[in-house]
Amino acid sequence: FSPQGSPEAAAEAAAAAQGRDPPAGGAARSGKRAAPTGAGALQPAKLSRAELYKPPTSEELSQLKETEDLFHSSLLRLQIEELLKEVTLKETKKKKIDAFLHEINSLLSAIPETPETELTDQAWLPEGVKVPFLQVPFSVKGRFRFLSPAELKVVGSYLLGTCIKPEINVDVAVTMPREIFQDKDNLNQRYHRKRALYLAHIAQHFSKEKLFGSVKFAYMNSNHLKPILLLRPRGSKDEKMVTVRLHACPAPGLFKPSRFYPSKNNVRTAWFMEQSTPKEGAPEPPTPHYNNSILCDTVLLSHLHFLSSAAADFPGMKDGLALLKVWLNQRQLSKGLGCFSGFLVSMLVAYLLMKRKIVKMMSGYQVLRSTLQFLATTDLSVMGISLAKDVDASLPVLDDFHQAFEVVFVDPSGLVNLCADMTASKYHQVQFEAKRSMEILDDRTVDGFQVLLMTTKPMLRAFDHVFHLKHVSKLQGTCKKMQLLNELMDRGGNYVAAALPFVVSLLARGLARRALLVTHSLPQISEWPIDAEPPKHKDVGPLTFGLLFVPEFAAGTLEKGPQADHPEALDFRTFWGEKSELRRFQDGSICEAVVWQADTVCQKRLIPEQIVRHLLKLHMDIPESSICYTGALLESVIRTGQEASGTGEEAMVSVVCSYDDLSRKLWNLKGLPLTVTAVQGVHPALRYTDVFPPIPMKPIYSFHTRIRTKHLLLPSEEKPCPAYIAPLKIICHMEGSGQWPQDKEAIKRIKAAFHLQLAELLQQQHQLVCRPAVTHTDVYKDGYVFRLQVAYHREPLILKEVVTPEGMLKYQDTEESRQLELETLHLPYLTSSLHGLQQQHPVFGSTCRLAKRWVSAQLLSDNISEECVDLLVAFLFLHPAPFTPPSSPQVGFLRFLDLLATFDWKNNPLIINLNAGLTDADLTEIKNKFVAARSRLPVMFIATPKDRWSSMWTQERPSAQILQRLLVLASESLRALEEQLMDPLNSQDVKMVFRPPLDFYDVLIHLNPNQIPRHLESVDRPLKSFSRGVVKNSTAVKILFPVVDYDPVQCYLQELREMCCRSWSDRVAVVPGRLWVEMKGWRLNQGWALALGCLAQPLFSTQDAFSDLALFFYDKHGGEVIAVLWKPLSFQPQPFKVASMKGRMVTTLNNELVCIPNVEAILEDFEVLGEGLVKSIEARTEKWTI
């Protein structure tokens, strides 16, 4: 045959053109020819030009059309195809599983029979096995014997081909022969106990077989009435391969279906309460859940036939179900009591097929979309659905089911409610997730595949507040208080399942206005060995509840009820108990109302906690000690001051108010030669993201050295270092004018003159204490220090002017012009954008502060800019998919850690669409350019509407190594935090992730706490603190200017990074106690300006010395230790040169003179430079070798 014309070759080419793998028959295309595997082996075909360019077939055209219409892009189609390949079972595995099932079949028929005994006489069971059923009460009528199964059938997803990895479960129905049952086995758990004994006997025999790696019991979907037997093959690899689940079910036609209608009773009160005689005339309550659990066993096979007829000739159903199961797994909805299981979603797809909402032509992606659309728009807790086709008049109708169950989805038999155990709240969560997913799929700017199918949504990150009911055994008291005896009988004594719907609906009512969603975790019980007692109801562990808030109403302090004379008032009073009181409102109405106590913003955020605790205590008898509320545990690290005041939001608002007032004063200044055109704040406090907002302060003079002639204060050497006062930087734009010079030096002088004049006019017109300098003017107002910096809009352009050697004038970016643009254009824009974001999302600022506190606590704040962290957090609010924007700082912080740890920084830009300034086309362009120029761009690339190509906030830092370190720390912190927050029974010391691991560093420099001005900001607040020489602000007008921006540790770090090593050490000492600098023959009072200047600029502009030997890390918020890491290259011997002897000593290596670091001398220098500040130096010599 000719290779060109072969149909196989054409198929292979078509597959390759569409990005698919070639058919299995085709040889792989590689450099080598495929070895012939027989006479007819295919050789790689070389296509002719005509073949390559022939028009697409109609099938290919329809595929392209489908891709265009349905998937946003061919990429989404390819991603979904890859995912399906990943989760579906391979043929080789199927063969192994089939062989395993055949062996189980032959073993089952060989199990010996047992003689008949009373149900309560279980002495025939050997020691090594316990009945997998909670037999309470124990006494029950009936007899039992074991007979071989009547038949064995594989049911469920394995046969349909819809089971997905990683957990492959094969369900096998073992039909118990009719002879082991008697009349009335439907009553009082007799059937359930026979079923459990039947499985126990099988388990006991199987446990001796070599075929099995493990034989264990489990509850089906954690339902205590339905134990199943789990069998796994022997061999460590095979044991993980598959779990065969044996379900015992009754012989067909054993029970009359009419006995199990939802309104019928099958558990007698007298038996359940262990009373000898039933009460006369008392009606028996219906037991719909109990009835449903027996009916489920009778329809296993009919469900299989129903689903297989639906799946016939419908390849899209298989793919769609795999995608839906992945979707449910990622949202933790598919396991536990009342889950939305894979079986349930298969039945739902079959229902949509029956109703023609889905047709057999559809692809897997269309099935996913149609199912999500149906879930999003249909509330099964209000209007149930049924698969029963021909309505038999004797069968119960949907209303009967609605009276008995919260969520209704009836199977084809018309008898079984498939959603019997599901609470309405869990269904509403599924509905909410489906709505959100449809929005995401319709949004072209979001990578729907990544967000919907690859991102997990654990409760802690999906809900704003999470709380745990630590001891579920307290729900017994709830059942008593709420008189839930009927529900307990129906649920076989399971008080968790009986009380849960009532708890959730109570909370949903109490939080109606505040919460979008109130949901709970699904009670789950893990499998257990066959020789252990079955788990009790309390073994589900703590129950977790999630609250998703409506941000506008979540923190309201008032719950307004009906007017006092309305009939609903009594109901309102009963619901809220003693918290309800009569109040007169401004409109004159007198209403019932509940007012919650909360003064600060962070207390208002926790009003839902007060509501939850109050209602559970009042109506459910659940004590406060049993509730572990983890909504705001992390906020303690950004609390200000020692008293348990707020988390700084109020302080931030007062800073912004003071700034607004100052900007108004600047606008209206009289006597300036040019008017002020704009006043823009750039300090983080003015966008609500300063970790510890400035507190108004007034200096205590006795703590300072006073220089009266200059009206100045300097730190006193006998006293602790004064409290840190941050200057709040403000950019003052002056109007343009022809009078502005065109020379950069002249502009600087004009700006200096403006600084002087601004100080003078503010002093004259508004009595503000000012201190002018060449580059800025400091204004002391309301106890804050504002730093005004004048800007002229053409200055950056003038700084870009460069004269070429030929005398041509051209414009190019210089370091100076970039820096000025950053300060006067980009930073003000960023600050105002983020200020706007804070107005939309009230917890944005607090989330940023937590994130920055964490970065600083890891000693990395010098290695990643504050603006960069602010932007990362902004991303979480502007692009929250698959979540909703955070409504609590804690959930925002957890998502920040997750973003850092999981974002693919290497291959993707992080695009933050501030003020919706980017269109779809812009986003595509940024991504394409990023890919093309990746090697030249920063390791962490952040694009915003005003900064699309340069990623200015991450240009210099972080470096690749620091980013890597940050990712490792973020992923570890997230793991540790989530573990702690989800384990209410252990001590929850969440500050653990804010304590950095120090064993990674080579040298630790321990500092003297009384010279650390921000000592009170440390993660673990010091037990004793020092008086820092300031008092909270008073309204004094005549005042000496406080010491601004003075942090000895930062000065010291700057010295370490920038000063020469041995050559300067005998002439300079940076000693906080003795002010900053002391030089031989140079008295301080002459040089105060220089001394103060040292805070902002390095003292000596000598070449770097220590910075090429080591990296220095410090937590600027009160850290007591500076961590030092030697650079690996600095320890390699260098050839001897006189010019490069800083910090080195000479030694001989192979008869050559070489330089190596003089570590002893360097460490001595560390101590000399930090005299008075450094307490001790801990050198970990075992960590390095020279």
Side-chain angles (χ1 to χ4, degrees), residues 1060-1063 1065 1106 1109 1126 1141-1145 1156-1169 1177 1186:
C1060 274
C1061 181
R1062 295 299 286 173
S1063 53
S1065 61
F1106 295 148
L1109 290 171
W1126 299 125
M1141 280 303 294
K1142 292 171 299 197
R1144 299 180 184 278
M1145 61 185 185
I1156 56 167
N1158 184 354
V1159 177
E1160 276 186 34
I1162 291 169
L1163 296 181
E1164 194 186 323
D1165 278 350
F1166 286 177
E1167 212 154 352
V1168 170
L1169 276 172
I1177 290 184
I1186 298 179

Side-chain angles (χ1 to χ4, degrees), residues 327-335 338-340 372 375-376 378-381 407 422-437 457-463 504 516-522 544-548 882-883:
W327 183 82
L328 287 164
N329 287 344
Q330 295 290 42
R331 283 154 184 71
Q332 298 182 341
L333 293 168
S334 59
K335 277 187 193 157
C339 64
F340 206 101
L372 291 178
L375 283 170
T378 317
D379 189 349
L380 297 184
S381 65
V407 184
M422 192 181 291
T423 61
S425 117
K426 193 43 76 173
Y427 182 76
H428 290 146
Q429 187 190 347
V430 173
Q431 208 182 358
F432 175 81
E433 290 290 356
K435 270 185 199 146
R436 185 84 191 95
S437 299
K457 287 190 75 173
M459 279 188 92
L460 272 177
R461 266 178 270 153
F463 293 96
V504 181
L516 201 58
L517 201 58
V518 177
T519 190
H520 56 89
S521 63
L522 295 162
T544 306
F545 295 84
L547 312 176
L548 193 64
F883 306 101

Side-chain angles (χ1 to χ4, degrees), residues 348-418:
L348 183 62
V349 170
Y351 170 81
L352 295 176
L353 185 68
M354 189 176 98
K355 292 288 180 202
R356 298 206 161 75
K357 297 256 174 75
I358 285 178
V359 290
K360 291 201 172 189
M361 295 294 291
M362 284 186 173
S363 68
Y365 176 72
Q366 285 169 301
V367 171
L368 170 76
R369 276 194 72 111
S370 305
T371 311
L372 291 178
Q373 180 63 35
F374 176 80
L375 283 170
T377 51
T378 317
D379 189 349
L380 297 184
S381 65
V382 176
M383 191 63 237
I385 54 175
S386 172
L387 281 161
K389 280 187 183 143
D390 42 345
V391 179
D392 182 345
S394 65
L395 285 175
V397 292
L398 279 177
D399 278 351
D400 298 338
F401 284 104
H402 272 296
Q403 280 176 359
F405 304 103
E406 290 204 332
V407 184
V408 177
F409 179 14
V410 182
D411 84 321
S413 71
L415 293 165
V416 180
N417 178 15
L418 302 170

Side-chain angles (χ1 to χ4, degrees), residues 459 465-469 503 507 511 518-519 543-547 608 612 616 627-631:
M459 279 188 92
H465 280 188
V466 166
F467 68 92
H468 309 279
L469 179 57
V503 173
L507 293 175
L511 296 163
V518 177
T519 190
L543 261 184
T544 306
F545 295 84
L547 312 176
V612 166
L616 291 183
I627 298 167
C628 173
Y629 201 95
T630 61

